[in-house]
Amino acid sequence: MKLTTCFVTLVLSSLATASIFGGQAVLEDADLSVPGDNPLTFCKATTDDKLVIEYVDLIPNPPEAGKVLKIEAAGNFTEEIEEGAYVLLSVKYNRLITLFSSKENLCDQMKNVDKECPLEKGKINITKEVELPTRIPPGTYDVLADAYDNKNQKLTCLTAKVTFKA
């Protein structure tokens, strides 16, 4: 469960500075890469996202078991985000096994990165440190975050693929 919390924190930290997932398909396209030193990609072109990511940096990248993962991110909200916004989250192991799938209240989750709703229009910066468990089963973890405002309009969509070696 701690590993899932780490992935959720990673995506939500990025979410605070980006538009959230635009669908359930995980795309691997260099043109959709999220700026910065990270394994994140946008689910689709982000021309109409309400959260525009400037960058997301992970230190270290890729994340390492037993180490502290520092997440630094910056972006801009194109409008205020109010209570009722939500994120559809999914974490899969080796593309087949769903470890976690849920609908989370975005405003509740933002408290994990010291932010509260309403999230004001304009610039936002996030810095968060997460201690990763020392034992993470080797394999590839696919994370999907698809975010919507309280009117069911898409905020952004992000995916991440992280591989832990034995």
Side-chain angles (χ1 to χ4, degrees), residues 69-87:
L69 174 64
K70 184 175 184 179
I71 305 160
E72 297 177 345
N76 285 286
F77 284 109
T78 60
E79 63 183 55
E80 181 176 87
I81 306 302
E82 299 174 347
E83 285 288 342
Y86 62 95
V87 184

Side-chain angles (χ1 to χ4, degrees), residues 42-58:
F42 294 105
C43 299
K44 64 177 186 76
T46 60
T47 57
D48 59 348
D49 285 346
K50 294 181 181 182
L51 184 53
V52 179
I53 296 177
E54 291 179 18
Y55 70 87
V56 176
D57 288 334
L58 302 185

Side-chain angles (χ1 to χ4, degrees), residues 112-143:
N112 293 327
V113 291
D114 302 319
K115 304 289 181 191
E116 292 185 12
C117 284
L119 298 167
E120 295 180 10
K121 177 181 177 177
K123 183 127 176 130
I124 186 166
N125 291 296
I126 299 285
T127 300
K128 181 71 177 179
E129 291 188 0
V130 179
E131 187 175 331
L132 297 178
T134 55
R135 292 185 179 176
I136 298 175
T140 300
Y141 295 81
D142 293 293
V143 182

